[in-house]
Amino acid sequence: MLCAVTWIEFLFSSAIGYKKPSARFFSYIVKTVGARADKTLMIGNEEKTDMAGSHALGMDGILLNTGIDSHSATLVWL
C-alpha cells in the first residue's frame, strides 16, 4: 500500500500534562494534529503505555523495541 505522509508532529507526555496510557493524552494528540484517531500512527517503545493507550482510542501503532543494547532495534507494526 502506498501512502503519503502529510503531517508529522512529535508530542511528548511531559509537555502535554497528561500521562500515558490515559485516553486524555491520546485524545489531545489527535485533536492537536487535527486528525482522526484511525488515521493517526503512534510510535512508542512501551507496549503497556504507548500501544495499549493508543489502540484503545483506535490508533495504529508501531512498537519500537530497542533491545538490550543501543545498537539493536526492531520495529513491530501493531
Side-chain angles (χ1 to χ4, degrees):
M1 176 172 68
L2 180 65
C3 63
V5 175
T6 57
W7 182 272
I8 296 177
E9 180 82 24
F10 296 94
L11 300 168
F12 299 93
S13 58
S14 58
I16 292 173
Y18 303 118
K19 298 221 181 260
K20 299 177 285 182
S22 167
R24 287 183 182 178
F25 173 82
F26 294 100
S27 294
Y28 178 90
I29 289 174
V30 172
K31 183 178 177 183
T32 298
V33 300
R36 295 182 359 204
D38 64 338
K39 299 295 182 187
T40 304
L41 177 66
M42 171 65 183
I43 301 173
N45 64 340
E46 294 185 21
E47 190 167 357
K48 190 177 210 179
T49 56
D50 298 330
M51 297 303 107
S54 60
H55 287 163
L57 195 63
M59 299 167 70
D60 283 333
I62 294 179
L63 177 63
L64 176 61
N65 181 350
T66 55
I68 296 172
D69 59 57
S70 62
H71 300 291
S72 65
T74 305
L75 288 177
V76 179
W77 185 274
L78 298 173

